[in-house]
Amino acid sequence: MSIDIDVESEPVGGRNQPLISARGLTRVYSMARSQVVGVNAIDMDIGNGQLVVLRGNSGSGKSTLLSLLAGLDHPTSGTLLVGGVDLATASDRELTRFRREKIGMVFQSFNLLPTLDVLENTCLPAFFAGKPVAQTREKGKGLLDWLGLAPRLNHLPAQLSGGEMQRTAIARALINDPDIILADEPTGNLDSHNAETVIQLLAKLHQESDRTIIIATHSSLADPLATMRVLMKDGEISIS
């Protein structure tokens, strides 16, 4: 079964220009009397339709980099263009629109609202974006069916397994048809079987919808599926 996700337009830049471009990208945090470098002068280009595996141990800077790419944090210095948006200079309003339209996030801790059922959690970002309720619910049902969660539409997160919660989080990340999916340690709270399932689902999503997907992880599970591998250590990267 293929996934039916609308692609209203080709991501900014087309096939011959990078969807993500960073030059000298740096993020430094001030802590008491010291400074901590989260990301250190990164130069990086990521093209449309890539499946990127961002590898590194805890504290290597992976989550900081993803926060910058998602527009959740501001660079200390350098330039960062994502989907045609200059995230280093964008206003709060522009960043909110960017996150709503361009980015889908998948977190290690799922981040599902406990009082909402599976379908409601999936549809929430689209509701916040002002999209029609009936159309959004139908789209949410389609995504959840593709992810094997049709029998769980009306279940609360507490009634789900870890793998089911993460699949719900993937559906939620897809509901607004983002150009980029950012997955921060998406298998970190899962057993080996569910971890493999989630990685295969992200790979299948990449193949069937041609989305750009970046998976930040300390695991090697996704390495064989990557079109681009980025190793991160002490805030710096090497690319293969």
Side-chain angles (χ1 to χ4, degrees):
M1 179 178 179
S2 63
I3 184 170
D4 183 15
I5 301 176
D6 296 332
V7 182
E8 296 178 357
S9 61
E10 186 174 344
V12 172
R15 285 288 169 186
N16 297 321
Q17 297 181 21
L19 180 63
I20 297 170
S21 183
R23 294 293 180 270
L25 182 63
T26 300
R27 182 63 169 103
V28 179
Y29 299 95
S30 296
M31 301 181 66
R33 297 182 178 180
S34 64
Q35 290 189 321
V36 176
V37 178
V39 170
N40 187 17
I42 284 177
D43 294 335
M44 179 175 65
D45 289 324
I46 298 175
N48 296 319
Q50 295 269 29
L51 175 57
V52 182
V53 173
L54 176 61
R55 287 277 306 280
N57 295 327
S58 297
S60 62
K62 302 188 307 299
S63 293
T64 299
L65 180 55
L66 255 61
S67 292
L68 291 169
L69 295 176
L72 294 169
D73 195 5
H74 279 283
T76 304
S77 61
T79 62
L80 178 60
L81 295 174
V82 181
V85 179
D86 185 344
L87 297 187
T89 62
S91 66
D92 288 342
R93 183 175 182 178
E94 290 169 334
L95 289 172
T96 297
R97 182 177 179 182
F98 165 80
R99 290 191 294 267
R100 182 178 294 160
E101 296 179 355
K102 300 286 187 182
I103 300 295
M105 292 290 297
V106 180
F107 301 93
Q108 176 178 348
S109 56
F110 319 128
N111 286 12
L112 302 177
L113 295 181
T115 58
L116 300 184
D117 65 28
V118 166
L119 182 58
E120 290 167 336
N121 267 290
T122 297
C123 295
L124 196 60
F127 293 155
F128 282 147
K131 295 188 177 181
V133 172
Q135 180 181 336
T136 296
R137 286 179 64 86
E138 285 306 306
K139 182 173 183 177
K141 289 177 182 178
L143 287 169
L144 291 166
D145 181 58
W146 180 76
L147 290 163
L149 290 170
R152 298 292 200 179
L153 295 184
N154 303 121
H155 286 66
L156 297 174
Q159 298 172 301
L160 306 178
S161 68
E164 289 169 336
M165 283 191 280
Q166 195 59 292
R167 281 183 278 155
T168 302
I170 291 171
R172 179 186 59 195
L174 291 171
I175 195 68
N176 279 337
D177 293 319
D179 292 336
I180 303 167
I181 300 294
L182 302 176
D184 192 2
E185 296 285 4
T187 63
N189 285 336
L190 303 178
D191 59 37
S192 58
H193 172 74
N194 280 309
E196 176 70 26
T197 298
V198 165
I199 292 299
Q200 291 297 330
L201 282 170
L202 289 171
K204 186 177 180 183
L205 170 64
H206 169 254
Q207 293 166 359
E208 296 188 1
S209 70
D210 206 27
R211 288 294 193 274
T212 297
I213 300 177
I214 303 177
I215 304 172
T217 180
H218 65 274
S219 166
S220 62
L221 195 60
D223 283 4
L225 305 169
T227 62
M228 177 178 177
R229 298 175 184 84
V230 180
L231 178 63
M232 194 159 197
K233 182 178 181 182
D234 299 330
E236 299 180 353
I237 64 168
S238 58
I239 298 174
S240 60

